[in-house]
Amino acid sequence: IIHTIIRQIPDTIIIDDNVNGISGDSLCFQVKADKTMGEIPVVLLIRSFDNESYLSHLGCGADRLKLRTESICKFRADIHMLIENRMALRERIKNFLSDLLFMNKVNEILEKNLSTEKYRIDKLCVDIGMSRTAFYSKIKDIIGMSPEDYIYSFKMDKALKLLASQQFNISEIAGMLGYCDVQYFRKKFKDFYHVCPTDYIK
């Protein structure tokens, strides 16, 4: 029934508490259950704001409950803020998902080149298809650290897990992480965790 009422996807949906004999609560529920419209803000107009009436509408899924007699100026302002807040939230989610996909790609490349000795930022930038400047800026914005520090922490996290598994000795783990010098790996591990690999295993 919702699709017979709504012809196009709007910025917000305002529903009266009774529409052609159908309760507003029922229509709100249908909108929120619809895959194409579920994220659209819904305002339900109700006749009374007493506690009993207000609580009776809480399960309908509406984003706002408004009195039918409310000032039109206040109502427009509230609707505008509701739309703006929803758009801002949508943009934050979009950016979060974009950053998540980007970091997943970075991690996949680092994982693939984990054992490559002296795998540097310049090579990573080429592999990910970005300039050094753009890559530095992107990493800084997302995780608040330099790409070098991130690669270092990525390798140390892997080192910790490999040591904890007790399936490989320290020399093997050093090689798996691209450190040809075992002593250098020991130093980097101790600098990061403030304990040497041997003591960590113990």
Side-chain angles (χ1 to χ4, degrees):
I1 186 172
I2 286 296
H3 289 286
T4 64
I5 299 174
I6 300 175
R7 303 301 180 185
Q8 61 183 10
I9 303 301
D11 293 324
T12 190
I13 298 173
I14 303 171
I15 299 176
D16 200 0
D17 64 353
N18 188 292
V19 180
N20 296 329
I22 303 173
S23 73
D25 285 32
S26 176
L27 290 176
C28 284
F29 185 81
Q30 289 183 52
V31 169
K32 289 301 180 180
D34 190 284
K35 293 181 179 179
T36 61
M37 296 183 292
E39 295 184 0
I40 300 173
V42 175
V43 178
L44 177 63
L45 302 179
I46 59 178
R47 299 177 185 277
S48 175
F49 237 12
D50 61 82
N51 290 340
E52 184 177 351
S53 177
Y54 185 86
L55 292 174
S56 69
H57 296 287
L58 290 183
C60 68
D63 297 278
R64 292 283 192 281
L65 296 177
K66 292 290 182 182
L67 276 174
R68 299 174 81 249
T69 57
E70 187 167 11
S71 161
I72 189 63
C73 290
K74 183 178 183 300
F75 186 67
R76 284 177 175 173
D78 287 346
I79 294 298
H80 178 73
M81 287 188 290
L82 181 62
I83 293 172
E84 289 293 318
N85 290 340
R86 186 56 61 95
M87 289 177 67
L89 175 61
R90 187 178 299 168
E91 189 64 23
R92 288 197 297 271
I93 293 173
K94 179 182 176 181
N95 290 336
F96 171 77
L97 293 176
S98 176
D99 292 344
L100 185 63
L101 290 173
F102 176 78
M103 290 309 302
N104 284 342
K105 185 177 179 181
V106 170
N107 290 341
E108 287 176 6
I109 293 172
L110 290 178
E111 188 78 42
K112 182 179 179 180
N113 294 277
L114 197 60
S115 63
T116 303
E117 185 182 351
K118 297 181 179 179
Y119 186 75
R120 299 288 187 255
I121 298 300
D122 289 340
K123 186 64 171 69
L124 177 55
C125 290
V126 171
D127 290 343
I128 207 161
M130 295 179 71
S131 70
R132 186 184 180 93
T133 301
F135 184 71
Y136 262 78
S137 178
K138 183 81 170 177
I139 291 291
K140 276 278 190 178
D141 287 344
I142 296 175
I143 57 177
M145 64 172 67
S146 69
E148 290 89 351
D149 287 341
Y150 182 72
I151 292 176
Y152 179 31
S153 66
F154 184 88
K155 288 197 172 190
M156 289 303 102
D157 179 65
K158 292 292 181 181
L160 200 69
K161 292 174 181 176
L162 289 169
L163 287 168
S165 72
Q166 297 187 3
Q167 296 179 355
F168 311 96
N169 61 42
I170 295 174
S171 295
E172 289 173 327
I173 292 173
M176 293 167 70
L177 298 176
Y179 293 102
C180 60
D181 186 337
V182 177
Q183 294 307 315
Y184 182 65
F185 165 70
R186 291 177 185 271
K187 179 183 182 305
K188 298 296 285 184
F189 187 91
K190 188 172 183 179
D191 288 345
F192 195 85
Y193 290 113
H194 307 294
V195 61
C196 67
T198 303
D199 288 342
Y200 174 77
I201 293 173
K202 291 178 181 179

